[in-house]
Amino acid sequence: MWIDEGDEVITVPNTFIATAEAISLCGAKPVFVDADNRFHTMDPQRLQAVMSPSTRAIMPVHLYGQPADMDSIMEIAKQHNLPVIEDSCQAHGALYKNRRVGSIGAAAAFSFYPGKNLGAYGEGGAVTTDDEELAEKVKMLRDHGQRSKYYHDKKGINGRMDGIQGAVLGVKLLHLDDWNNARNEHASLYDQLLAEVEPVTIPACAPYARHVYHIYGIRVPQRDRILTELKNRGVHCGIHYPVPIHLQKAYSSMNLAAGAYPVTESWAEEMLSLPMYPELSNEQISYVAECLSEILKSVV
Ligand SMILES: *Cc1c(COP(=O)(O)O)cnc(C)c1O
């Protein structure tokens, strides 16, 4: 099976655009379901309503390093005989009920963009699967659709990763769990320091998840003002993401108006990513929490 023109793939609008682009590049149409209000990953309860005879796959995103609700998603996929493709690009090493993400669905995508939990010294990425036939297809597509040299079964791309990136990643992979543990410790300290800071909502960790905190995202009113104030104090934060996919100019032809995915849209207005990387010190985290608390007293 190939995913092609006229096909549909279900995903979330609350993600980096690459998730939807992967679908569009096949000529298929991304069909969105809104996120869960607590964990910000795909809401499995909304899947049934968007199923159509053209649906070919479901692509949840393990957003911010937190696995999506895989049992529920896999169950619905099974009922409809659809493969699940895990967008694991933010969740290297994360666990869903003690299983690594990327080993649950039919296949999974990982990005090694330098900013990821496992980052190369340039561009890179990988697909994981335990299906040999699928692995052969992926290898073919990344090398211009070649079955063997100069025999092209499919229009592919140049997706060959530099060997030097593989060498770097092979060394860094050995440290991934330690780095993810450090991120978890930082997240706990943030949780503790921000628990009493009103009106901040700290990120919720799902009971089934070993989160790897690619992003530590809080919810806060007047987010843009707070972001500026933090910047003035030397604390650089991010927004993941300011514009949901269905409201991006690139997807304007889908004619999806504001209001189509309210959970995603309200989150986009209030989410703020605090500094998060393994090398952060407790002093730095305390400074961020202090600044935030001080700013909130004067702004909100
Ligand atoms: C980083 C990322 C990707 C892939 O990005 P590339 O630029 O292709 O490496 C895909 N999905 C999500 C959710 C991501 O964060």
Side-chain angles (χ1 to χ4, degrees), residues 15-16 18-19 61 87 89-90 111 113 116 123-124 241:
T15 181
F16 180 58
T19 315
V61 180
D87 183 334
C89 292
Q90 301 190 358
S111 164
Y113 178 75
K116 307 292 188 185
E123 300 290 341
Y241 296 87

